Amino acid sequence: MKFFTKEVQIALVAIVGLVILFFGMQFLKGLSVLSKGNAYVVVFNDVSGLSASSPVYVNGVKVGTVEAIDCDYARPDRILATVGLDEALQLPKGTTAEIASDLLGNVKLELVLGDRQGGLLAVGDTISGGMQGGLMSKAATMLPQIEKLMPKLDSILASVNALLADPALSHSLHNVEQITADLTTTTAELNKMMGGVNRQLPGIMQKADGVMANADSLTRQLNAIDVDATMAKVNETLDNVRQMTAKLNSNDGTLGLLMRDAELYNNLNATMMHADSLMIDLKSHPKRYVHFSIFGKKDK
């Protein structure tokens, strides 16, 4: 009688399949199936989102998984989560655990390591846990403020709608279009003017060069002037003027006497008056002073 009958073979295949299915489920859950890790108990008041097979991280590195979550029925406010960590990981005393979640809803357990100077936790020790104040937590705290802002946002939107419905806005936009067209025309005219300036610029530069050349020539001529000799002549002229002024102010010269001697001035003035009277009388009675004729005849 053979031992490996068809029934035995079917039973063995079924057992192997169940074993493979078990280990496959454990693997899919993220649980270690070939190596044994160190187990610790994390105490929570609330484990919302956390489940068995959730990953455990330390500073972004996966170090284990959550193996089981149990309720302490003696103290219903305590939730006990058993975590399996790598054997090489040693947890310092004061280590805590935080439940964190991302925007996609993925939940994980983050270990915050304590100070190693305080010693290490023994395998199976209890770790205090809580919720991480991450982005989702901050968003939840902002919801009441957002709810308060909603009426103001509605009022702002209503004001914006009223502004958009105002015909003055359309008129202003039309004016903006006209201003834009005017600016385009002005820009084109400026471009034309700049083109004309660019065409005239060579001639302007040539004239400027001529002016600069004349300026250089004038500068050379000014440099060629003998300033010392010129100043000497000016000083000589000023000395002559001073000498003439001194003579006019003195009583030696005729002009000085004429300017200072009142009697001489009066005599000259009287002489001029007599000469003037004589000329008048000469013009009026020339026969008194002239007794001959150019024709040799006497006047009757």
Side-chain angles (χ1 to χ4, degrees):
M1 182 178 179
K2 294 181 178 181
F3 178 74
F4 289 103
T5 60
K6 291 183 178 181
E7 290 79 2
V8 174
Q9 293 176 1
I10 293 173
L12 291 175
V13 170
I15 292 171
V16 172
L18 290 174
V19 172
I20 294 174
L21 179 62
F22 173 76
F23 284 105
M25 293 296 295
Q26 294 294 102
F27 178 77
L28 292 176
K29 289 180 180 180
L31 300 176
S32 178
V33 295
L34 298 178
S35 62
K36 184 178 180 181
N38 297 329
Y40 296 87
V41 178
V42 185
V43 181
F44 292 98
N45 293 327
D46 186 3
V47 291
S48 299
L50 189 67
S51 61
S53 74
S54 294
V56 181
Y57 289 87
V58 173
N59 297 330
V61 179
K62 183 179 179 181
V63 295
T65 56
V66 178
E67 295 181 348
I69 298 177
D70 301 308
C71 180
D72 187 358
Y73 293 104
R75 296 180 59 182
D77 58 336
R78 285 163 50 96
I79 307 298
L80 306 178
T82 303
V83 297
L85 305 179
D86 292 341
E87 293 182 351
L89 178 63
Q90 296 179 339
L91 299 180
K93 290 183 179 180
T95 299
T96 59
E98 297 179 348
I99 298 175
S101 60
D102 54 21
L103 294 175
L104 299 178
N106 299 319
V107 180
K108 62 181 179 180
L109 191 64
E110 284 278 357
L111 294 178
V112 181
L113 300 180
D115 189 0
R116 286 186 173 272
Q117 295 181 356
L120 300 176
L121 293 174
V123 177
D125 282 351
T126 300
I127 302 173
S128 62
M131 301 294 294
Q132 187 184 63
L135 181 61
M136 298 302 294
S137 177
K138 293 181 180 179
T141 57
M142 291 175 62
L143 286 177
Q145 299 178 0
I146 295 175
E147 290 179 355
K148 293 180 181 179
L149 289 176
M150 290 305 296
K152 295 182 179 180
L153 291 176
D154 292 338
S155 176
I156 293 172
L157 291 176
S159 300
V160 171
N161 291 330
L163 179 63
L164 293 176
D166 192 351
L169 180 62
S170 301
H171 183 66
S172 299
L173 293 176
H174 179 71
N175 291 336
V176 170
E177 293 178 356
Q178 183 63 35
I179 292 171
T180 303
D182 294 340
L183 288 175
T184 302
T185 304
T186 303
T187 303
E189 293 178 354
L190 286 175
N191 290 333
K192 291 181 180 178
M193 184 176 68
M194 291 302 297
V197 171
N198 291 332
R199 288 191 297 271
Q200 296 177 1
L201 187 59
I204 296 173
M205 293 302 296
Q206 291 179 357
K207 293 181 180 180
D209 292 338
V211 172
M212 293 300 297
N214 294 333
D216 292 338
S217 177
L218 178 61
T219 303
R220 288 193 298 270
Q221 292 177 2
L222 290 175
N223 292 330
I225 294 175
D226 190 354
V227 178
D228 294 335
T230 303
M231 293 303 298
K233 293 180 180 180
V234 171
N235 292 329
E236 183 180 356
T237 303
L238 292 175
D239 290 338
N240 295 330
V241 172
R242 281 196 295 270
Q243 292 176 6
M244 184 180 68
T245 304
K247 290 181 179 181
L248 289 176
N249 292 328
S250 66
N251 295 326
D252 297 337
T254 304
L255 291 176
L257 292 174
L258 182 62
M259 292 175 61
R260 296 176 177 277
D261 192 346
E263 185 178 357
L264 177 61
Y265 173 78
N266 292 329
N267 292 333
L268 288 175
N269 192 21
T271 301
M272 292 299 296
M273 291 178 65
H274 286 98
D276 185 55
S277 299
L278 178 60
M279 291 301 295
I280 293 173
D281 187 65
L282 179 62
K283 290 180 180 180
S284 300
H285 306 91
K287 293 181 180 181
R288 292 180 181 177
Y289 305 95
V290 180
H291 299 285
F292 61 90
S293 175
I294 57 175
F295 297 104
K297 295 183 180 181
K298 294 183 179 179
D299 294 333
K300 292 181 180 179

